[in-house]
């Protein structure tokens, strides 16, 4: 089989996983012939890694030359790893120029651009693959298996809460993610992973969304209300507290962002308590599904620990998945807390929350039992490797239906987009009203369970 010719579109942080896959494990199936990236330092960073792995240097193009690149380099497939709001125009242009597309989540950030992708796919008949790595995490696959096997019967409701800690969660408030026009906010940028999981776990489509939430912790106004003032605009200065990111401490971040900012002014380390944040950090949703099931979902982005809890109620019992990805963010030596701890009543000292995962199933009239989860130590419990195999070798037959197509991408963002509209209006929003044709048919499917 001849190798497929790939081009990377957007060569920042996420691009590395694909560059390593194409130049490493999948070099018999794929070759990286071009990189489309406006920032010359970031483009060079990735080109150098391709060359260091023993492959020919891909040619670098700017975004205006995307079509030229696809034509001149005879690109079969582009891998889009640009900022979320840029996905849709890059997808549409790539399809029209004759390439298939692999795109990072989220597919896009609003209804009109999702409709434009739908039109371009209809027009060109080309393929768009969206990479939902969370499906491949063994623990998430295990929950799907339990539900798919009918162990808990028909799903009647899901209770799902996800907490991002003050290390990972804070990072969404430093760069483009903090602006809704660029990321769709956490409901689209982050929670699309979670909504995809629910859609896939319960094999149904969202129909109606009601959301509530706001920015209550990060941002200048919240900080000022808590007595936090006069903060430096960015983390790269000599000082440092637990919320600052000093790019000089990490060679990769320095090379990708600090050394590159002279070309485009892209600041990676803005203060999480600064001005200009337009996304929420606390969110709650109620989602009705076409099957008749209900989802209650919450997201918090300033938790002291990170992980998630999901409980799935069914007509025969209940499954509960609990995951602690990081038990605590402890203040490093040399970093001082933002608020003087002596000003806060000391609580009892505790022990560290153990990290790990547990899937419990309990059927009516029976004792609970734990379902074993087979995990490797690699990225996302081995999920990233499984995902890359599906992307580069082809999905094959998967009894758990993990490979996702663009429709799954749309269904996942539909919840977040409808949620954003609900936040604006204070009203529930019908997914069928987002202007995306196939969603109207999805939502019209007859409920499988009562009411
Ligand atoms: N699945 C996951 O777990 C996961 C994890 C991280 C990021 N992501 C996704 O990957 C994507 C990239 O995230 P990132 O953290 O690498 O962002 P990034 O900002 O580090 O990289 C984006 C790159 O796109 C470039 N760019 C800007 N305008 C462009 C244009 N018009 N055409 C092409 N490139 C352009 C930027 O210069 C930058 O190098 C996002 O959509 C993000 O949601 C997914």
């Amino acid at each position: 089989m001849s190798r497929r010719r790939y081009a990377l579109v957007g060569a920042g942080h996420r691009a590395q996983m694909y560059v390593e896959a194409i130049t490493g494990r999948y070099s018999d199936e794929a070759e990286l012939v071009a990189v489309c990236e406006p920032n010359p330092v970031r483009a060079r960073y990735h080109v150098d890694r391709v060359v260091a792995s023993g492959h020919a240097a891909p040619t670098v193009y700017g975004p205006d030359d995307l079509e030229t690149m696809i034509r001149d380099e005879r690109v079969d497939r582009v891998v889009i790893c640009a900022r979320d709001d840029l996905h849709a125009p890059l997808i549409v242009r790539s399809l029209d120029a004759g390439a298939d597309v692999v795109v990072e989540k989220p597919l896009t950030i609003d209804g009109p651009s999702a409709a434009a992708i739908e039109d371009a796919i209809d027009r060109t008949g080309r393929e768009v693959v969206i990479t939902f790595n969370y499906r491949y995490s063994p623990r998430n696959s295990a929950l799907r298996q339990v539900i798919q096997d009918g162990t808990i019967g028909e799903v009647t409701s899901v209770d799902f809460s996800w907490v991002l800690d003050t290390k990972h969660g804070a990072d969404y408030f430093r760069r483009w993610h903090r602006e809704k026009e660029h990321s769709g906010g956490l409901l689209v940028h982050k929670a699309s992973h979670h909504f995809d999981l629910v859609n896939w776990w319960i094999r149904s489509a969202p129909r109606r969304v009601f959301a509530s939430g706001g920015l209550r912790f990060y941002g200048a106004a919240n900080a000022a209300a808590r007595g936090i003032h006069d903060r430096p605009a960015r983390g790269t200065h000599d000082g440092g507290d637990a919320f600052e990111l000093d790019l000089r401490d990490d060679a990769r971040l320095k090379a990708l962002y600090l050394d590159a900012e002279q070309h485009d002014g892209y600041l990676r380390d803005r203060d999480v308590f600064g001005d200009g944040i337009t996304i929420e950090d606390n969110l709650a949703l109620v989602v009705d599904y076409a099957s008749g099931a209900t989802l209650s979902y919450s997201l918090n982005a300033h938790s002291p620990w990170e992980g998630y809890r999901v409980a799935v109620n069914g007509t025969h019992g209940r499954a509960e998945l609990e995951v602690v990805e990081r038990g605590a963010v402890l203040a490093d030596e040399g970093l001082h807390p933002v608020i003087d701890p002596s000003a806060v009543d000391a609580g009892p000292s505790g022990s560290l929350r153990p990290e790990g995962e547990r899937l419990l199933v309990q059927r009516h009239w029976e004792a609970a039992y734990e379902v074993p989860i087979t995990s490797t130590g690699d990225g996302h419990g081995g999920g990233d490797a499984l995902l890359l195999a599906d992307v580069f070798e082809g999905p094959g037959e998967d009894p758990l239906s993990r490979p996702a197509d663009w429709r799954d991408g749309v269904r996942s963002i539909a919840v977040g987009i409808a949620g954003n509209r609900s936040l604006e209006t204070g009203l529930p929003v019908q997914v069928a009203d987002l202007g995306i044709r196939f969603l109207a048919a999805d939502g019209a499917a007859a409920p499988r369970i009562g009411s």
Side-chain angles (χ1 to χ4, degrees), residues 31-48:
E31 64 182 310
L32 188 64
V33 296
V35 171
C36 176
E37 162 64 52
N39 187 297
V41 172
R42 276 193 290 280
R44 170 58 48 197
Y45 177 91
H46 289 286
V47 169
D48 286 350

Side-chain angles (χ1 to χ4, degrees), residues 13-14 37 42 81-82 84 87 104-105 176 189 257 266:
H13 155 78
R14 186 61 175 165
E37 162 64 52
R42 276 193 290 280
C81 295
D84 300 349
H87 289 183
E104 261 300 339
K105 55 61 35 188
W176 52 264
H189 174 80
Y257 302 105
Y266 173 174

Side-chain angles (χ1 to χ4, degrees), residues 8-15 17-18 36-39 42-43 46 62-64 80-87 90 93 103-106 131-134 172 175-177 189-190 193 256-257 264 266 268 380 384 387:
L8 187 63
V9 181
H13 155 78
R14 186 61 175 165
M17 181 179 85
Y18 297 95
C36 176
E37 162 64 52
N39 187 297
R42 276 193 290 280
H46 289 286
D64 289 347
I80 297 177
C81 295
R83 208 176 60 201
D84 300 349
D85 60 310
L86 301 173
H87 289 183
L90 291 169
R93 287 173 61 196
V103 59
E104 261 300 339
K105 55 61 35 188
T131 53
F132 279 123
N133 46 340
Y134 285 28
Y172 295 106
R175 50 176 175 151
W176 52 264
H177 310 84
H189 174 80
K190 186 67 189 169
H193 270 307
L256 277 176
Y257 302 105
D264 53 13
Y266 173 174
R268 172 70 181 80
H380 295 108
D384 282 356
L387 164 81

Side-chain angles (χ1 to χ4, degrees), residues 152-156 313-317 364 449:
I152 58 167
E154 286 278 334
V155 174
T156 54
N313 297 300
T315 50
H316 296 164
H364 293 145
I449 52 180

Side-chain angles (χ1 to χ4, degrees), residues 46-350:
H46 289 286
V47 169
D48 286 350
R49 262 139 202 86
V50 174
V51 173
S53 67
H55 295 82
T59 312
V60 176
Y61 291 80
D64 289 347
D65 296 325
L66 179 71
E67 289 80 2
T68 308
M69 176 189 79
I70 289 170
R71 186 191 64 220
D72 290 0
E73 304 292 339
R74 291 176 288 113
V75 173
D76 298 311
R77 247 179 163 191
V78 298
V79 178
I80 297 177
C81 295
R83 208 176 60 201
D84 300 349
D85 60 310
L86 301 173
H87 289 183
L90 291 169
I91 293 170
V92 171
R93 287 173 61 196
S94 299
L95 294 173
D96 282 332
D100 291 325
V101 170
V102 177
V103 59
E104 261 300 339
K105 55 61 35 188
L107 183 67
T108 183
I109 63 165
D110 56 26
S113 63
I117 294 171
E118 183 176 38
D119 289 344
I121 291 171
D122 283 355
R123 184 165 68 238
T124 61
R126 295 209 156 269
E127 182 192 45
V128 175
V129 172
I130 176 151
T131 53
F132 279 123
N133 46 340
Y134 285 28
R135 290 185 178 194
Y136 292 80
S137 264
R139 56 193 176 224
N140 297 331
S141 297
L143 178 55
R144 158 89 187 206
Q145 187 79 59
V146 165
I147 298 169
Q148 183 172 306
D149 289 348
T151 312
I152 58 167
E154 286 278 334
V155 174
T156 54
S157 60
V158 179
D159 185 14
F160 194 177
S161 72
W162 198 290
V163 292
L164 298 165
D165 63 23
T166 48
K167 188 178 172 88
H168 182 196
D171 210 33
Y172 295 106
F173 296 82
R174 296 197 172 103
R175 50 176 175 151
W176 52 264
H177 310 84
R178 66 188 343 231
E179 291 140 8
K180 210 169 240 198
E181 62 184 306
H182 291 143
S183 67
L186 290 178
L187 273 188
V188 171
H189 174 80
K190 186 67 189 169
S192 59
H193 270 307
H194 314 153
F195 301 139
D196 175 66
L197 282 176
V198 177
N199 299 347
W200 170 73
W201 277 327
I202 72 172
R203 288 171 294 158
S204 186
R207 183 182 263 175
R208 190 182 66 158
V209 179
F210 178 75
S212 178
L215 181 68
R216 294 167 186 165
F217 182 77
Y218 300 107
N222 292 317
R226 297 199 303 277
I228 303 166
H229 299 284
D230 301 326
R231 293 184 54 82
R234 45 189 309 202
T236 314
H237 73 115
D238 292 311
D241 66 42
F243 281 102
E244 292 180 35
L245 173 70
D246 192 336
L247 299 169
R248 295 166 302 188
D249 295 341
D250 182 319
R252 182 165 178 266
L253 288 180
K254 179 176 177 302
L256 277 176
Y257 302 105
L258 191 59
D259 298 348
E261 66 188 37
Q262 56 186 301
H263 294 285
D264 53 13
Y266 173 174
L267 302 184
R268 172 70 181 80
D269 60 345
R270 281 189 283 170
D271 181 32
V272 300
F273 297 118
D275 283 318
I277 296 173
T278 52
I279 65 169
E280 300 80 17
D281 55 19
N282 281 263
L283 286 152
L285 265 79
V286 174
V287 185
D288 291 336
Y289 274 79
S291 66
T294 309
L295 163 69
S296 57
Y297 169 85
S298 72
L299 179 66
N300 176 280
H302 55 89
S303 165
W305 66 280
E306 175 145 326
Y308 58 100
R309 292 179 173 156
V310 55
V312 184
N313 297 300
T315 50
H316 296 164
R318 175 173 161 106
E320 296 168 8
L321 175 62
E322 294 198 359
V323 178
V324 178
E325 293 180 339
R326 181 163 37 225
V329 183
L330 299 174
D332 295 333
E333 284 197 21
L335 290 178
H336 52 85
V338 176
I339 291 184
D340 177 3
S342 63
V344 181
D345 284 344
S349 61

